[in-house]
Amino acid sequence: MRIDIITCVPSLLTSFFSHSILDRAYRKGYAEVVVHDLRDYSTHKHKQVDDYAFGGGAGMVLKIEPIAAVIRKLQSERSYDEIIYMTPDGARFDQPTANRLSLLKNIILLCGHYKGVDQRVRDLFITREISIGDYVLSGGEIPAAVVADSVIRLIPGVLNDETSALSDSFQDNLLAPPVYTRPAEFEGHKVPEILLSGHEAHIEAWRMEQSLLHTQKRRPDLLKDHNN
Ligand code: SAH
C-alpha cells in the first residue's frame, strides 16, 4: 500500500513516520508513506500556498493551484483508489473505515490548514472526507497521521503477531480485555489465575467474557451492533 500525504508543514509528519511500526512497515515493503510539501508546487515567488478568503473574515485559505498541481502529478504516476481530505466536517473515522482503507492500494491524504482549503478542491478532486472527531485542530497533519497509523498496522505482516490487530478494541464492536505481563504478583496484586493456567480455551473464554463486561460498562452503545 502507498499513502501520499499532501501538507504545507511536512516536518510535522516526517519524524512521525520514521519511527516504530510505520518505519518497519516501510522497510519490510508493506506500506510506503510519501510526504509532499505543498510549497514545492507553488508558482508564487515566496512559495505562498494560502490567500485571504473571498468575502472577507478572519483566516487564510489554502489555494487550489498548488493542490491541483500535486494531485495531478501523482495521478499521472499511478491511479488512486481514494483522495481523502481531512476535515472536521467529514465522516467520523472509526475502525470499520480503517479496515476498509487498509485493503486499498494507493490513497492520497490532503491536510488542510488555517481556515481549510478552497471549496473547489473538495468539489473537483476529493473522493472522501474524514474527521477524526468533533473538535478542531489547527492542521490536518495529526488527523492524517492517525488515519495512516491505524490503516498501516492492519496490513497483514506489519504487526509481528498477525492476529494481534484483530484482537484490538472495536474489532467486532468489542473493547479489548485487560492484559498483564510479568511479574505475576506486584505488591500483593495478582494476575488473574486463569491467565497462568496454560489452558487456551479457558483463557479465550475468559477474555471474551471480560471484553463483553468491559464493553457493557464503558460503551454499551457498541453492543447494539455486536453480532453475537
Ligand atoms: N474552518 C474549518 C476548520 C479548519 S481547521 C471548520 O470550521 O471546519 C484546519 C485544518 O485542520 C482543516 O482543514 C483540516 O484539514 C484539519 N482538521 C482540524 N480538525 C480536524 C478534525 N477533527 N478531523 C480532521 N481534520 C481536521
Side-chain angles (χ1 to χ4, degrees):
M1 177 177 206
R2 174 176 164 129
I3 301 179
D4 290 275
I5 304 182
I6 302 171
T7 168
C8 56
V9 206
S11 57
L12 279 177
L13 289 165
T14 37
S15 86
F16 180 77
F17 288 106
S18 58
H19 288 99
S20 82
I21 65 151
L22 300 178
D23 183 47
R24 205 172 66 218
Y26 171 66
R27 283 187 281 110
K28 284 184 172 173
Y30 293 118
E32 183 181 13
V33 176
V34 187
V35 177
H36 303 274
D37 186 349
L38 207 45
R39 286 176 212 283
D40 293 343
Y41 295 83
S42 170
T43 50
H44 195 272
K45 62 177 182 300
H46 300 301
K47 298 284 174 207
Q48 185 185 345
V49 289
D50 58 338
D51 211 333
Y52 295 100
F54 277 129
M60 304 296 276
V61 177
L62 286 181
K63 292 161 66 62
I64 190 169
E65 299 100 316
I67 298 175
V70 60
I71 290 177
R72 285 184 172 139
K73 174 181 170 275
L74 291 171
Q75 283 178 320
S76 75
E77 292 164 354
R78 66 195 64 75
S79 74
Y80 283 89
D81 302 302
E82 296 270 14
I83 303 179
I84 301 169
Y85 176 46
M86 307 310 307
T87 178
D89 59 358
R92 184 87 69 83
F93 191 58
D94 56 12
Q95 194 63 44
T97 309
N99 292 347
R100 276 196 293 278
L101 294 180
S102 74
L103 302 173
L104 303 179
K105 200 158 175 282
N106 300 310
I107 63 176
I108 293 176
L109 302 179
L110 172 63
C111 306
H113 228 85
Y114 317 111
K115 289 304 279 180
V117 299
D118 187 303
Q119 179 59 36
R120 290 165 293 183
V121 170
R122 301 168 72 167
D123 298 340
L124 296 176
F125 296 105
I126 299 301
T127 60
R128 182 191 283 263
E129 299 193 329
I130 291 178
S131 163
I132 62 159
D134 287 350
Y135 41 80
V136 178
L137 300 162
S138 49
E141 289 73 22
I142 292 171
V146 166
V147 168
D149 184 307
S150 61
V151 167
I152 290 171
R153 68 192 292 286
L154 289 168
I155 299 171
V158 168
L159 296 186
N160 275 337
D161 176 358
E162 278 219 23
T163 60
S164 95
L166 296 175
S167 60
D168 284 331
S169 289
F170 305 114
Q171 296 293 3
D172 209 17
N173 274 304
L174 288 177
L175 300 180
V179 290
Y180 298 86
T181 184
R182 282 179 289 189
E185 184 173 340
F186 174 72
E187 296 177 357
H189 299 273
K190 289 185 177 157
V191 166
E193 204 64 45
I194 189 147
L195 295 177
L196 311 175
S197 69
H199 196 303
E200 258 181 54
H202 289 178
I203 292 173
E204 216 26 68
W206 179 86
R207 285 188 170 144
M208 177 51 82
E209 181 192 74
Q210 291 295 314
S211 267
L212 279 166
L213 287 172
H214 191 46
T215 313
Q216 245 151 25
K217 207 155 119 198
R218 291 211 171 168
R219 294 290 304 276
D221 57 301
L222 291 175
L223 289 175
K224 286 199 300 283
D225 302 319
H226 169 66
N227 39 8
N228 212 344

